């Protein structure tokens, strides 16, 4: 072939060996090498060049010389393969090309004639997805490591964008640290749980006592715990599409099956009740509601919530309600907790301080059991068991719950006209809708927007590739719609926490990118 690029040599060798991109992914998993399908796609398309260790792995898998694959003026075949280009080499000693550490490991752990035992990840992870911190984020990190600045619009983390924790919260935590050195009760500090109970009363959650309050290291831990305590293999849980992907991941990891009901973009992203109804089976145990919604920013009105309650009542289902953004509601609208409409049903409501008090890193969340707890006594026993096993949640963070939930709520200053979140929401909504081929529903809460792409105009069939291409061309990191279990490659999520001047630069770059982009 002579001199050629790495990508052309990679594709040539793949064709010669009758290999596909997925073969590298499988080989990497077997060898405990971190390599995803998107990475291989980038290499094959010539968009990126692998690190030296990955280059070595690719060469080993193809059975070619590493210096040839990298584009150097060297023979393709290794010496031991001359005359047999169709058989990849099997290296057995340092002289064959393994580094000394690999040779030592092989000598110690792999007796002659005996295959080395490989440790692979659990098959329970096969259906687990969390692209908010997935392959595209890995590629962004690789780019940053080489000195490239990346604008991160992929994760709802207020602190990097200048949102500060209220001074009173920081002061109170510092003041109480000496009293937070030991474990708390498994469910949490009395003061924290009492404040959460009173907050729940203000939200009209029925039949809630202090024993129904559980603190956690963020809502994420409690979602995992609540699903693990509930599900047997094959049990089904209805989850919105698009969803916050941790819900689907935790259901699948617990052995259950996540069944996605559609949210309707043409109806303000409200749940499609008819779709929800037809997906209920005799294996369905619960309905998950994410309100306000991540990733769409939708806020569900009372009539929609009532329809969900009626459906749950008809089929005797539990309701799990993720309400972490309930204090980030705009346009004078009111958040309604679905549990307040269901005193006769068993409900679990989740919330926390990460978003409303700009303390995502403190990791403090809670869940509240309400309604008819008699039908869930055995389940509650399971929750208590898992709660005790993890001992307790972060005690210093618990110590400021009472302070945070009382007094002036500084977040209210952000969500009114003139406030940062409100103004940034309006800007991103108008800017996205002004780009040809892009439409978006205006969010009513949280700090996310979930725009739609005209897939015919841009010829998009792979939303992960779209996210990678945008990252490479414009240094903007977003999360693809498929990362939220959306069924089409036509959406992506933007976090609009950056200031307007940053969002303007980002949307200008996005508009320029889409003016020429065709997949």
């Amino acid at each position: 072939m002579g001199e050629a690029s790495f990508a052309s040599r990679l594709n040539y060798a793949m064709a010669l060996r009758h290999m596909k991109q997925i073969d590298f992914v499988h080989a990497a998993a077997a060898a405990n090498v971190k390599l995803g399908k998107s990475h291989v796609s980038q290499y094959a398309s010539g968009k990126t060049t692998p690190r030296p260790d990955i280059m070595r792995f690719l060469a080993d898998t193809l059975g070619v010389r590493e210096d040839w694959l990298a584009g150097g003026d060297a023979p393709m075949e290794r010496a031991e393969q001359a005359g047999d280009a169709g058989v990849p080499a099997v290296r057995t000693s340092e002289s064959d090309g393994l580094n000394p550490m690999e040779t030592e490991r092989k000598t110690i752990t792999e007796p002659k004639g005996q295959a080395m035992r490989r440790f692979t990840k659990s098959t329970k992870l096969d259906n687990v997805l969390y692209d908010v911190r997935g392959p595209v984020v890995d590629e962004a990190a690789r780019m940053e490591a080489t000195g490239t600045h990346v604008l991160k619009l992929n994760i709802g983390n207020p602190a990097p964008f200048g949102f500060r924790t209220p001074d009173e919260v920081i002061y109170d935590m510092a003041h109480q640290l000496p009293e937070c050195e030991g474990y708390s009760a498994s469910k949490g500090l009395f003061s924290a749980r009492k404040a959460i109970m009173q907050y729940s009363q203000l939200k009209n959650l029925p039949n809630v006592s202090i024993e129904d309050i559980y603190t956690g290291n963020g809502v994420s831990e409690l979602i995992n715990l609540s699903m693990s305590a509930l599900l047997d293999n094959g049990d089904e849980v209805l989850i919105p599409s698009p969803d916050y992907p941790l819900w689907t991941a935790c259901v699948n990891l617990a052995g259950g099956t996540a069944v996605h009901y559609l949210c309707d973009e043409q109806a303000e992203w409200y749940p499609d009740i008819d779709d929800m109804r037809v997906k209920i089976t005799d294996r369905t145990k619960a309905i998950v509601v994410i309100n306000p919604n991540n990733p769409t920013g939708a806020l569900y009105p009372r009539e929609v919530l009532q329809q969900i309650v009626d459906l749950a009542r008809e089929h005797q289902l539990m309701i799990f309600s993720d309400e972490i953004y309930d204090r980030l509601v705009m346009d004078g609208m009111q958040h309604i907790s679905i549990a307040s409409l269901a005193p006769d049903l068993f409900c679990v409501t989740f919330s926390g301080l990460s978003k409303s008090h700009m303390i995502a890193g403190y990791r403090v969340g809670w869940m509240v059991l309400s309604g008819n707890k008699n039908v869930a006594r055995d389940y509650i026993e399971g929750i208590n068991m898992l709660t005790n096993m993890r001992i307790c949640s972060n005690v210093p963070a618990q110590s400021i719950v009472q302070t945070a939930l009382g007094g002036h709520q500084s977040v209210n200053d952000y969500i009114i006209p003139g406030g940062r979140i409100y103004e940034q929401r309006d800007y991103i909504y108008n800017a996205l809708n002004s780009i040809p081929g892009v439409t978006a529903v205006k969010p009513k809460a949280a700090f996310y927007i979930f725009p739609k792409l005209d897939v015919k105009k841009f010829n998009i069939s792979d939303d992960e590739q779209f996210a990678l291409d945008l990252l490479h061309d414009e240094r903007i990191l977003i999360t693809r719609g498929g990362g939220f279990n959306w069924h089409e490659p036509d959406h992506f999520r933007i976090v609009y926490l950056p200031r307007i001047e940053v969002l303007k630069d980002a949307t200008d770059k996005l508009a320029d990118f889409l003016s020429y982009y065709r997949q």
Side-chain angles (χ1 to χ4, degrees), residues 27 36 41-42 49 74 96 138 167 175 187 201 226 236 239 266 286 309 318 331 410 414 424 426 430 487-488 506:
S41 176
Q42 294 165 48
T49 302
D96 285 334
D138 292 342
D167 291 342
H175 183 72
K187 292 182 181 180
Q201 291 171 344
S226 64
E236 296 176 357
I239 296 176
Q266 303 305 313
V309 168
M318 291 173 55
D331 303 325
S410 58
Y414 293 127
Q424 288 162 195
D426 279 6
N430 291 321
H487 55 290
E488 299 288 347

Side-chain angles (χ1 to χ4, degrees), residues 173-454:
M173 177 180 280
H175 183 72
Q176 295 180 85
L177 273 177
E179 284 76 54
C180 296
E181 294 173 341
Y183 297 132
S184 72
S186 295
K187 292 182 181 180
L189 294 172
F190 177 85
S191 63
R193 293 160 64 211
K194 186 72 172 180
I196 296 165
M197 184 191 79
Q198 292 170 338
Y199 181 74
S200 300
Q201 291 171 344
L202 294 175
K203 300 285 289 186
N204 298 313
L205 271 62
N207 192 24
V208 174
S209 73
I210 197 165
E211 291 305 313
D212 301 315
I213 312 293
Y214 298 75
T215 63
N217 296 301
V219 167
S220 299
E221 180 192 37
L222 296 170
I223 291 172
N224 193 9
L225 186 152
S226 64
M227 293 298 102
S228 296
L230 177 68
L231 299 175
D232 290 318
N233 290 341
D235 286 346
E236 296 176 357
V237 177
L238 293 180
I239 296 176
S241 175
D243 72 339
Y244 177 56
L246 183 74
W247 278 103
T248 295
C250 287
V251 168
N252 291 335
L253 193 58
T257 300
V259 178
H260 293 102
Y261 64 85
L262 294 178
C263 295
D264 186 358
E265 188 170 17
Q266 303 305 313
E268 299 287 337
W269 283 115
Y270 297 159
D272 184 330
I273 303 300
D274 290 336
D275 188 62
M276 188 184 291
R277 178 179 290 106
V278 300
K279 289 176 177 174
I280 295 174
T281 72
D282 57 1
R283 300 304 303 269
T284 307
K285 276 195 168 180
I287 298 173
V288 171
V289 177
I290 303 175
N291 177 42
N293 188 265
N294 175 8
T296 65
L299 180 71
Y300 302 157
R302 181 181 296 271
E303 54 269 25
V304 169
L305 296 173
Q306 186 63 58
Q307 287 179 288
I308 297 172
V309 168
D310 293 344
L311 201 58
R313 182 177 292 124
E314 178 185 348
H315 295 276
Q316 300 187 54
L317 303 177
M318 291 173 55
I319 296 176
F320 291 95
S321 186
D322 184 343
E323 302 180 359
I324 189 67
Y325 299 98
D326 69 338
R327 292 177 295 285
L328 285 158
V329 174
M330 290 171 274
D331 303 325
M333 302 180 76
Q334 178 189 11
H335 175 267
I336 299 169
S337 289
I338 192 170
S340 68
L341 307 178
D344 58 321
L345 302 179
F346 180 66
C347 299
V348 184
T349 302
F350 301 83
S351 193
L353 303 178
S354 292
K355 314 299 183 180
S356 62
H357 288 73
M358 315 301 168
I359 52 174
Y362 286 25
R363 309 311 300 132
V364 55
W366 57 79
M367 67 179 180
V368 182
L369 314 184
S370 68
N372 186 0
K373 287 168 280 186
N374 288 330
V375 300
R377 287 181 177 177
D378 195 55
Y379 171 59
I380 294 171
E381 184 178 318
I383 287 179
N384 290 336
M385 182 184 300
L386 293 179
T387 301
N388 291 336
M389 286 169 60
R390 61 93 204 245
I391 302 180
C392 70
S393 65
N394 177 350
V395 181
Q398 291 183 51
S399 74
I400 51 89
V401 171
Q402 187 175 41
T403 297
L405 289 180
H408 174 68
Q409 299 295 296
S410 58
V411 69
N412 292 338
D413 300 333
Y414 293 127
I415 57 177
I416 58 175
R420 272 194 62 184
I421 292 177
Y422 182 96
E423 297 298 333
Q424 288 162 195
R425 184 276 308 261
D426 279 6
Y427 178 82
I428 196 73
Y429 168 72
N430 291 321
L432 287 171
N433 280 289
S434 70
I435 300 174
V438 180
T439 55
V441 176
K442 192 172 190 177
K444 304 299 188 297
F447 34 67
Y448 309 108
I449 192 167
F450 200 55
K452 182 177 183 178
L453 296 162
D454 184 336

Side-chain angles (χ1 to χ4, degrees), residues 93-107:
S93 69
E94 184 175 352
S95 63
D96 285 334
L98 288 176
N99 64 45
M101 185 177 292
E102 288 174 321
T103 304
E104 180 182 359
R105 184 166 62 244
K106 200 172 184 70
T107 301

Side-chain angles (χ1 to χ4, degrees), residues 120-130 249 252-254:
T120 59
K121 69 177 184 294
S122 168
T123 56
K124 289 185 291 185
L125 292 169
D126 288 348
N127 295 316
V128 172
L129 171 79
Y130 195 74
N252 291 335
L253 193 58

Side-chain angles (χ1 to χ4, degrees), residues 131-185:
D131 271 13
V132 177
R133 293 178 182 263
V136 183
V137 178
D138 292 342
E139 173 62 10
R142 187 200 66 77
M143 291 168 62
E144 287 185 315
T146 65
T148 302
H149 173 71
V150 174
L151 175 58
K152 296 177 181 176
L153 303 179
N154 67 309
I155 191 165
N157 188 17
F161 300 106
F163 288 93
R164 305 262 56 94
T165 304
D167 291 342
E168 187 179 10
V169 170
I170 295 175
Y171 174 84
D172 280 17
M173 177 180 280
H175 183 72
Q176 295 180 85
L177 273 177
E179 284 76 54
C180 296
E181 294 173 341
Y183 297 132
S184 72

